Amino acid sequence: MTKDSRCRPPITAEEAAELQRARDRMIARDRLIDEMVDNNEMQIKNEYARAGAEIELACAVRGAARADAGSDAHAELERAIARLEMLREEHRRLVAEREWLDTSLLEIDNGPSSGDHQRSGHA
């Protein structure tokens, strides 16, 4: 037993529970931040993919507009439109996920922290 551990009184069950809640909040916050990093990475990849799909679409539109464009050119145009719409939908999903993550992080950050009940005058 060290000198410091002999001088400190043991923590109460309430203090232990508060420490556990603070630990749980810290772990939840850390997981949310990891998910935010992953979401950011997916959004960046999606942005690059959408830019490429927009270029492909422009080329397909130009190809389908040619007087001698055949069914292959029109099929390519349809594929380019579908690909771009799929990427746009993924982008909308990622943005909605990010908004949910932001809200969840705010809820954790604005939740009670250790000792709040003491500072507010509530026992």
Side-chain angles (χ1 to χ4, degrees):
M1 195 180 265
T2 67
K3 181 179 177 184
D4 288 340
S5 65
R6 286 181 294 199
C7 295
R8 275 185 276 151
I11 64 172
T12 65
E14 184 180 316
E15 291 169 329
E18 177 57 35
L19 287 172
Q20 184 61 45
R21 283 189 297 272
R23 181 181 183 279
D24 292 345
R25 276 192 310 272
M26 178 190 68
I27 290 169
R29 187 178 195 284
D30 187 55
R31 286 182 183 148
L32 276 173
I33 290 172
D34 286 344
E35 289 180 41
M36 291 171 108
V37 169
D38 291 344
N39 181 277
N40 286 346
E41 180 181 348
M42 288 185 292
Q43 282 194 48
I44 290 168
K45 287 179 180 179
N46 178 271
E47 186 176 322
Y48 285 122
R50 279 185 294 127
E54 287 170 357
I55 292 169
E56 290 172 13
L57 178 60
C59 292
V61 166
R62 188 177 53 222
R66 288 192 325 243
D68 63 342
S71 61
D72 287 346
H74 291 285
E76 182 60 32
L77 176 59
E78 293 300 319
R79 281 191 295 272
I81 290 169
R83 180 168 184 263
L84 184 56
E85 184 51 40
M86 179 200 63
L87 289 167
R88 286 177 175 162
E89 180 58 36
E90 180 182 2
H91 173 71
R92 288 187 287 271
R93 183 192 62 77
L94 289 168
V95 168
E97 179 181 297
R98 178 55 190 249
E99 289 170 357
W100 179 85
L101 290 167
D102 288 344
T103 299
S104 298
L105 184 60
L106 280 172
E107 288 173 0
I108 288 174
D109 286 348
N110 292 333
S113 62
S114 179
D116 274 354
H117 64 283
Q118 294 169 352
R119 286 193 297 271
S120 67
H122 297 99

